[in-house]
Amino acid sequence: MHRLILFPLIALLAACGHDEPGIEVRTVPVPTPVPCVNTADLPTVTPKSSLTGDARADTVILRAENLDLRAENGDLRALIVPGCTTVPAS
């Protein structure tokens, strides 16, 4: 009689022991689509002054315009790069 009670208890205890790992929760970043740039968000292009013909004066004007264009390029890239870049079909 003791064997009939002892055998199911041993079987139940053996079923509780396992070598499988527990559940592991991970956070995986998933890219989410964003709408393309609204034209109202684009910076306005300021008209630049014309060149004078004097090389020294024109160098100063061109240097300032170059810095302005680089800043505008950075602003446009900040708007476009997050979600509106596509590869052109060839």
Side-chain angles (χ1 to χ4, degrees):
M1 185 67 156
H2 290 293
R3 287 185 186 176
L4 291 176
I5 296 173
L6 192 59
F7 181 71
L9 287 176
I10 292 173
L12 286 174
L13 289 175
C16 291
H18 57 82
D19 294 333
E20 296 178 16
I23 296 173
E24 184 178 338
V25 179
R26 293 184 185 178
T27 303
V28 179
V30 178
T32 52
V34 294
C36 284
V37 178
N38 188 357
T39 55
D41 294 337
L42 295 176
T44 58
V45 177
T46 56
K48 307 297 179 186
S49 60
S50 60
L51 300 177
T52 63
D54 180 22
R56 291 179 190 248
D58 289 347
T59 303
V60 173
I61 293 171
L62 289 174
R63 182 176 54 188
E65 288 181 3
N66 184 20
L67 292 175
D68 290 342
L69 286 173
R70 286 180 183 224
E72 289 175 4
N73 184 23
D75 293 342
L76 290 174
R77 283 190 166 277
L79 285 172
I80 294 172
V81 168
C84 198
T85 55
T86 57
V87 178
S90 49

